Amino acid sequence: MSDCLFCKIAAGEIPSKKVYEDDVCYAFYDIDPQAPVHFLVIPKAHISSVSEVNGGNAPAVGHIFAVIAKLAKELGLESYRVVSNIGPQAGQSVLHLHFHVLSGRDMTWPPG
Ligand code: AMP
Ligand code: ZN
């Protein structure tokens, strides 16, 4: 999508601090970290949120979770949280599917 921030980051048109990249997804550190480790994993193809996941694009989402597991092992994350906000009341500010990976501090439940 031409005016989507995360499409531009995935395409390298806007700089980011890359964690990982393959044909399907791109991972990069959050610009406003909420934990000592905080990165985002996004599909390269534009999907607006979890609410737009379907049978056609679900393999990319499954792949992203495999990548999250791999990166967590490589980064030595023993405990971490994966979050995806959907819609304004949940705090979604970028309308391109992304999974936050947060680690390195105690986390509360339920989330705020
Ligand atoms: P959400 O609010 O759940 O939609 O998450 C969007 C996240 O994107 C926030 O945590 C922002 O800090 C992060 N973010 C926004 N712009 C950038 C950027 N240019 N590079 C890295 N992270 C960003
Ligand atoms: Zn996009």
Side-chain angles (χ1 to χ4, degrees):
M1 227 170 106
S2 60
D3 64 347
C4 170
L5 173 65
F6 284 1
C7 281
K8 288 179 179 166
I9 285 178
E13 293 166 11
I14 289 177
S16 64
K17 199 170 161 196
K18 180 163 91 172
V19 178
Y20 173 85
E21 179 175 19
D22 62 28
D23 289 345
V24 173
C25 69
Y26 186 75
F28 57 106
Y29 286 103
D30 197 290
I31 203 167
D32 181 21
Q34 302 301 312
V37 177
H38 184 181
F39 61 88
L40 305 172
V41 188
I42 65 174
K44 287 191 168 175
H46 183 85
I47 302 169
S48 55
S49 78
V50 167
S51 66
E52 299 303 316
V53 174
N54 55 43
N57 57 29
V61 178
H63 174 79
I64 283 172
F65 273 84
V67 165
I68 289 171
K70 171 182 135 69
L71 293 176
K73 286 189 186 80
E74 288 177 1
L75 295 169
L77 308 183
E78 289 179 6
S79 187
Y80 56 99
R81 186 171 286 177
V82 180
V83 176
S84 193
N85 298 317
I86 299 105
Q89 192 173 30
Q92 184 178 10
S93 61
V94 179
L95 299 182
H96 180 125
L97 178 64
H98 50 284
F99 295 96
H100 297 258
V101 180
L102 302 127
S103 186
R105 64 164 170 82
D106 293 341
M107 305 220 181
T108 58
W109 190 262

